[in-house]
Amino acid sequence: MNVLTIKNLSFNYPKLSILNDISLILKEKSITAVLAPNGTGKTTLFYNILGILKPTKGQIYTQECDILALKPELRAKYICYVPQEWQSPFNYNVVDVVMMGSTRKMRIFGTPQYQDEKKALELMEEMGIIHLKFQGINEISGGQRQMVLLARALLQDAPILLLDEPTSHLDIKNQALLFRELKKQVDKKNLSVLINIHDPNLVNIYADEVYMLKDGKNFRNGQVNEVMNAKNLSELYGLEVKTGMIDSRSFVYVY
């Protein structure tokens, strides 16, 4: 089942075209990667989905509604988001940051209730970050911060999760921890994930489908094992890319 459909989406700044007729389908209980060189509109695409930017033309919809027609508080029912970077102006306790994910269910001037804190603590326990609950968000490592932001998004209980370059500042251990938790939550919550990412090897390991963008346009898309080949990757990046196999799994390299 398709949970999110993007159809012929374009976005232009006054003197600059960024996205041109982008189409994309996100399937239920899947991880779909958006892979593209720097400066080709990956984050701009996310900002259009989130309503931060307004498309020049095109459609974004779920089975239930037109996403572009929704106010932010209603859009939050369907889509949650983990940004590439997030700086807190205050050194909130980690548990308070996680509980921010429950605000979409509150009325104006509402405050978190006991049940909100209980759900947040249960989720943190499950994700292995409960020991951080009373630490300040500005005092923890980058890897820990990304897990906290993932927990905040998951507490929102939206069926679609957007992640914008979540591993850009993470070492190999924290990359693995983040993706393992992500795969677990996809199965548990029937979650569908759309992820912007630079590392083709992480796409090979963890994603189900991939959309390659080049010059702001659809370039190639399909199942990872069909699309992530040397020819497509070489054309995408404009240099010779090699692929090989380790333990029956494809990997990408250049030299």
Side-chain angles (χ1 to χ4, degrees), residues 53-185:
L53 296 174
K54 184 177 180 180
T56 308
K57 70 169 187 175
Q59 298 173 290
I60 306 175
Y61 53 90
T62 69
Q63 284 197 324
E64 298 180 19
C65 64
D66 176 0
I67 289 293
L68 297 177
L70 298 180
K71 294 181 179 180
E73 60 270 23
L74 294 177
R75 197 177 304 216
K77 175 183 176 182
Y78 298 96
I79 299 172
C80 53
Y81 173 55
V82 176
Q84 181 177 350
E85 295 183 359
W86 183 73
Q87 297 295 326
S88 174
F90 303 105
N91 195 27
Y92 296 108
N93 284 345
V94 163
V95 65
D96 294 325
V97 174
V98 174
M99 280 197 294
M100 291 176 186
S102 63
T103 56
R104 79 150 180 98
K105 306 168 192 174
M106 299 177 193
R107 295 186 177 184
I108 190 169
F109 304 124
T111 57
Q113 303 300 307
Y114 168 76
Q115 283 300 113
D116 298 316
E117 183 175 8
K118 183 173 182 290
K119 285 186 67 175
L121 292 172
E122 288 173 350
L123 181 59
M124 292 173 68
E125 178 76 45
E126 180 184 343
M127 294 178 63
I129 56 173
I130 190 67
H131 62 288
L132 302 174
K133 62 181 178 180
F134 295 130
Q135 285 191 236
I137 187 65
N138 295 330
E139 299 167 0
I140 61 177
S141 71
Q144 291 170 331
R145 182 189 297 264
Q146 283 301 97
M147 293 294 280
V148 171
L149 295 179
L150 177 59
R152 182 183 69 174
L154 293 172
L155 198 66
Q156 194 173 318
D157 284 333
I160 298 166
L161 171 63
L162 305 186
L163 294 105
D164 191 4
E165 295 290 349
T167 61
S168 59
H169 303 300
L170 303 187
D171 61 26
I172 190 171
K173 175 184 176 180
N174 283 298
Q175 288 177 3
L177 290 174
L178 181 73
F179 271 103
R180 288 172 185 173
E181 185 61 38
L182 195 59
K183 295 284 280 188
K184 183 172 71 175
Q185 295 296 333

Side-chain angles (χ1 to χ4, degrees), residues 27 155 208 221 229 237 241:
K27 297 179 181 177
L155 198 66
D208 302 299
N221 67 272
N229 56 58
Y237 291 108
V241 176

